Structures are given as structure tokens and as C-alpha cells.
Amino acid sequence: MREDHQDAVARVDADRLWRRHAEMAQIGAIPGNGVNRAAFSAEDIRARKLLVSWARERRFEVSQDAIGNIFVRRPGQDATAPPVMSGSHMDSQPKGGRFDGIYGVLAALEALEAIDAAGLKTKRSIELVAWSNEEGGRFAPCTMGSAVYTRARAMDTFLDTTDNDGIVLRSALAETLAALPDAAPRELNAPAAGYIEAHIEQGPLLEMQGRTIGVVSGIQGLRWFNVEVFGKTDHAGTAPLGVRKDAMRAAVDVINALRELTADPHDVVRFTVGRVLVTPNSPNTVPNHVLFSVDIRHPDLATVQRLGEAVEPLAREHARPCDVKVTPTLHDDPCVFDAQVVGAIERAAEDLGASHMRLSSGASHDANYMSRVCPTGMIFVPCEKGVSHNEAENAKPDDLAAGARVLTAALLDLANR
Ligand code: GLV
Ligand code: MN
Ligand code: MN
């Protein structure tokens, strides 16, 4: 590694990185050491302002696009060359942890700080990006900010989405955008020369293998659906079962059929029903409407396609006598990361003497959308027992710092190409 790059890497400040995680974790803190920072909520807005305040201390340029993605730029020598980007998300799951997403944002900020403190000039600008609504826990689907940025999805298709309280995304987004009046407007889909996302692994492999750095080869494919079952309300005490159109009973039958569809002796297929809305949601009324989410994942394109295509016919068959409507909400094919970016990350880990291994990602990430528009890779660091989407999510300060060092070195490599 070049000596000046080594100097920048040495300026990654493990304490500052850890302190910033702790400070961010206070925003939306929930019992059990977790975080509930839903996208476009008051907590999300506080986190955005805190990030921008840190960026402004270094006089980095801050901009924001129409879906609320935030960009923090350290200019390069060639103002016309597309930047190298790095980041992740600041929103969390309702019972989320202190590291999912925010680590990638803070690691990118740490890299920018270290490079700036070393006074390095880079050919390309380096840009931190904090993607909006990666989790999709409040407004589905997930990875919304990167989908819109990369033009994989049009923003109009999301704006009328509501959360469980009936709040419309359009108004929550408007409030979020207004909270950063000084951020320069930024166009969607500006070209990027490369993208690296740092993230906790959210699985147990690194810890089990005793490695610090995961060099990520790609992300498995996923399909999301909303399944709505339409029945008829009736009195729970009087209506004979044989004449009911019980939307809940039909929903359970559909879910059981989907469980059978996705049963896998090798335990590679992932199948989750994580959200259920029952109407009218009263103990003594037969439900007339049930909406539930379906999340199916597999690393192999043919399998995820086959399973996805089976959802609607299966739901029709098993919902009888109720009617059913199946709406696909997300469709991500498996992605394979760019060999040069993966190589740059692996070389950085090697040069820095960090133990590493290649692995593929079970969780989805904004890197999936970025991989469609520019050379992309990801860096994983271990998290305790692989626990994630859980308040108990935990990671070690040293591992977080090691990941930030590898990120700094890899970004410098790409930014000078
Ligand atoms: C993102 O957290 C996902 O659903 O994988
Ligand atoms: Mn995440
Ligand atoms: Mn997540």
C-alpha cells in the first residue's frame, strides 16, 4: 500500500467511531439496548441532522436528493470525474440494533475524516451516502432510496404508501426533506465510479471462523409480496363455520401452503411472514380482511424465480372461499459484485494484516441496486452470535475500526484510478 494511503488509514479513530455509534444509538433508543428509528420519522430526522453536523465540522459538502438520500462529499482533483461512493442507511427495524446500517454510514464518515486529516488529494471525489428507508419496516418496500437513486424504481410508485398508522409517505418525506434546508439539491442517478458498503455481517460466519473482515461476493435474490385476503365480517358466536368467509382462516391456509412450497431440506430457502394486518381486529368478529407480507429469498436466480411465480396461484387455491389479491412489492435478483472492487477490498484487508474470508450476503443491502449502475462491493465485520434485526445486536469496537480501515484503503485505491 502507498505510504500516504497508510498514513490516512492510521488516522481512522476507533474511539471516535465508537462514540458516534453510541451517540446515534441514543436517537430512538428502546429497552434492551436497541434502536427504533423508522424511516422518515422524527428520530430519523434527528439522526440526519447529527450526521450533517459532523460533516459540516469538516466542511464537507452536503446535498440531498428527492427521496431524501444524503450525500457528503470530499472533493477530488478532477471535479468532472464521477465520485467513488460509500455508505449505508440510518433507519432501523422497529426492534432494531445499534449497528445495522448506521455502521456503514459512520465507517464512510470515518474514512472521509481520516483521508482529510492526512491531507490527501484524491483524483476522484469520495462521497458518503446515507440511503433513505433501507429497512422498509414502516413504509414497504425496503431499499427504497437506492432503488429510486439508481432508477430501478420510480419514486411515484411509492409516494402514496401508508404506514400502519395511515401516515402517507409523501408527507413524511416532505417533512424529512424540509429538515435539512441548507443541503444542496442533488440529482438522481448521477454517475458513480464505484460503491463500497460496510455493514455488520448479520450472520454468524465471521465469528465462527474467527475472521475480522468479510469480503462479500454478492447478495441473494428476494421476492416480496403483499397478500390480501377478502372475506366477510360475521358474529363470532352465531355464524356457523360452514357459512363463513373467514379471511383469517384463509390467510392461515395460504401461509401454510407457502411454508410447504418453501420447505427446503438444505435450509437455504428463506421464507418469512413478518407483517399481518387484520380487519376489523376484534376478538368476536370474523375478520373480513387480512393483509400479510411474504419475503422469500434464495441465492440462485432460477429458484427464487420459481418460488416467486408460485405465490399467486397457490394463494388463489388455498384462500377459497375468500377472494385474494397478490401484489408483488419487491423483486431483486441475486447480484454478483464487481471483481475489481472485491479484489481491492481483499487486497486492503491483506495489506492491513486483517484476517478475512469471502462470503455472500443473506441480507439485502443498497449495494444490490448500486451494483446495477457501477462497480460495487461490500465489507462485512462480525456481529455477536450473528444476531441482527434484534435489540441485542452487538459488535466490537476493534472490528468496526478494522472494517473502517479496510474501507479507507479500498476507497483510496478506487478514488485514484
Ligand atoms: C434488510 O435488512 C433486509 O431485509 O435484508
Ligand atoms: Mn442494513
Ligand atoms: Mn436491516
Side-chain angles (χ1 to χ4, degrees), residues 89 93 100-101 134-135 199 202 364 388-389:
H89 58 97
Q93 287 289 324
D100 177 1
E134 191 273 350
E135 295 290 6
H199 207 284
Q202 305 182 276
S364 195
S388 188
H389 285 193

Side-chain angles (χ1 to χ4, degrees), residues 241-270:
L241 298 192
V243 306
R244 291 184 185 186
K245 283 177 80 176
D246 181 337
M248 192 63 202
R249 206 165 63 175
V252 168
D253 288 347
V254 173
I255 292 170
N256 278 331
L258 291 172
R259 272 186 60 191
E260 272 173 39
L261 169 76
T262 53
D264 173 7
H266 304 291
D267 200 10
V268 179
V269 177
R270 299 287 178 259

Side-chain angles (χ1 to χ4, degrees), residues 169-211:
L169 190 151
R170 185 189 304 276
S171 69
L173 172 62
E175 262 178 58
T176 306
L177 292 172
L180 292 181
D182 298 334
R186 153 99 179 202
E187 62 180 319
L188 294 170
N189 204 25
Y195 174 71
I196 303 180
E197 180 164 348
H199 207 284
I200 57 165
E201 181 199 337
Q202 305 182 276
L205 293 181
L206 290 172
E207 192 179 72
M208 276 162 51
Q209 306 278 330
R211 313 287 169 91

Side-chain angles (χ1 to χ4, degrees), residues 85-102:
M85 294 169 64
S86 177
S88 194
H89 58 97
M90 299 200 291
D91 64 316
S92 82
Q93 287 289 324
K95 283 175 169 289
R98 295 167 294 152
F99 303 96
D100 177 1
I102 194 67

